[in-house]
Amino acid sequence: MSMKLGFVGTGALSSAIVTGLKSLPGETTPVVISPRNEAIAAGLAARYRDVRIAADNQAVLDQCDTVMLAVRPQIAREVLKELRFRPDHHVISLIATIPREEIAGLVAPAAQVGKALPMPMIARRQGSTIICPPDPIVATFFGRLGGVIEVEDQSEFDALSVVTATYAGYFRYLDTIHAWVSSQGVPRDKARDYITNIYKALADAPDTAPDENFMHLAQDYATRGGINEQVLREMTERGTFEAFAESLERVHRRITGE
Ligand SMILES: NC(=O)c1ccc[n+]([C@@H]2O[C@H](COP(=O)([O-])OP(=O)(O)OC[C@H]3O[C@@H](n4cnc5c(N)ncnc54)[C@H](OP(=O)(O)O)[C@@H]3O)[C@@H](O)[C@H]2O)c1
């Protein structure tokens, strides 16, 4: 099925989606993007034959049937108020903190309105996109770009969204290991390569043991009296994981505006 795809807001995320899409072999979906950010829009249009820059946001809408909203939340209401949507527009909001119902009000009379949460690694066609509500067209689109998770209701969407707040903490965790190993005189590159390689293998562990939950995997590695058990116990005793879970709770409250 052919689609004419538009983006209102051509920033980091729109750029990643277009890059991922256009890396698919034989991909010819026409894409129309809004002129801001100027440099990003110009770069995409120069790189991909099927990508064109519209004169303004309204021109994006007028030239597409499926539109992704990708402006920052702070200006979204103002931007959307100015635009005239059609009843047949298929609207997918990528705007993180505005609920679907509010977007639906702003883009009326467009009837098909959903939310999606892609991640920047979509540029490499990696990392699942959460979509709400389930939608075969949107699911097929993101399914080809790293995978899709369809959820029925906003509360499930919001809870899953919290996962995306944990990436920086993850890299800080790896950096802690790296900094310590390097401080022992190991060349930084060598330490980095080793950590990267081992954590890639660990990331595959849930796939190789699909019936085990994460705590089982933790226990598999935490041999009694061993060094993994020691780190796990010491971190647990110091409240590291409790504090982490509390952060997740606070992020969730922020996402849901509670
Ligand atoms: N990046 C992520 O990882 C991520 C993940 C999930 C969801 N999101 C959501 O995706 C949305 C976009 O995020 P982003 O990271 O792509 O932000 P971004 O890089 O700041 O992109 C937003 C773009 O909107 C442009 N813009 C400003 N005013 C505009 C207007 N009046 N009309 C049209 N475009 C306008 C900006 O252009 P100028 O540079 O010229 O101001 C900028 O290029 C946000 O709502 C965010 O919540 C982002």
Side-chain angles (χ1 to χ4, degrees):
M1 221 214 53
S2 69
M3 138 193 308
K4 283 188 201 146
L5 181 61
F7 287 86
V8 172
T10 309
L13 195 56
S14 299
S15 172
I17 296 169
V18 172
T19 303
L21 178 69
K22 291 301 170 192
S23 73
L24 286 165
E27 219 297 323
T28 56
T29 305
V31 174
V32 54
I33 55 183
S34 57
R36 277 179 71 180
N37 172 277
E38 206 181 318
I40 297 176
L44 290 171
R47 222 171 321 137
Y48 306 113
R49 226 170 34 136
D50 312 307
V51 177
R52 281 180 307 108
I53 306 171
D56 55 26
N57 292 335
Q58 186 61 48
V60 171
L61 294 186
D62 296 345
Q63 293 169 49
C64 76
D65 47 46
T66 307
V67 60
M68 305 229 176
L69 308 178
V71 287
R72 293 254 171 110
Q74 295 84 341
I75 61 159
R77 294 171 179 88
E78 209 175 309
V79 170
L80 295 177
K81 262 195 321 218
E82 302 292 315
L83 299 175
R84 294 178 308 280
F85 287 81
R86 300 188 307 266
D88 64 303
H89 267 134
H90 195 161
V91 180
I92 304 152
S93 170
L94 313 179
I95 304 161
T97 47
I98 305 184
R100 198 199 73 88
E101 285 67 28
E102 188 178 348
I103 296 288
L106 289 162
V107 303
Q112 263 186 300
V113 184
K115 286 201 33 153
L117 183 55
M119 288 292 117
M121 54 270 206
I122 197 168
R124 290 176 274 126
R125 289 190 274 134
Q126 288 178 351
S128 295
T129 294
I130 314 168
I131 69 167
C132 177
D135 177 325
I137 293 174
V138 183
T140 303
F141 180 85
F142 287 113
R144 297 194 300 157
L145 303 182
V148 68
I149 298 199
E150 297 184 82
V151 303
E152 295 284 346
D153 61 81
Q154 179 83 39
S155 64
E156 207 178 316
F157 186 92
D158 290 341
L160 284 166
S161 303
V162 173
V163 174
T164 70
T166 63
Y167 307 157
Y170 168 75
F171 285 117
R172 179 72 167 81
Y173 180 92
L174 297 189
D175 180 67
T176 304
I177 304 170
H178 183 245
W180 187 85
V181 174
S182 303
S183 79
Q184 299 301 299
V186 177
R188 294 183 64 81
D189 287 357
K190 195 184 256 181
R192 186 183 187 279
D193 287 351
Y194 180 59
I195 294 164
T196 302
N197 182 281
I198 289 290
Y199 273 83
K200 268 188 192 161
L202 284 178
D204 282 341
D207 280 343
T208 56
D211 296 332
E212 302 213 8
N213 61 37
F214 293 124
M215 202 54 209
H216 284 137
L217 292 169
Q219 280 154 1
D220 284 349
Y221 281 100
T223 318
R224 194 172 309 170
I227 56 178
N228 267 274
E229 188 212 47
Q230 180 184 345
V231 171
L232 182 58
R233 176 170 35 78
E234 290 178 3
M235 288 175 83
T236 307
E237 281 170 3
R238 284 178 181 236
T240 311
F241 299 110
E242 255 169 43
F244 187 37
E246 285 165 15
S247 283
L248 301 182
E249 185 62 40
R250 281 190 294 272
V251 167
H252 185 247
R253 284 205 289 273
R254 189 170 152 197
I255 287 175
T256 55
E258 280 166 23

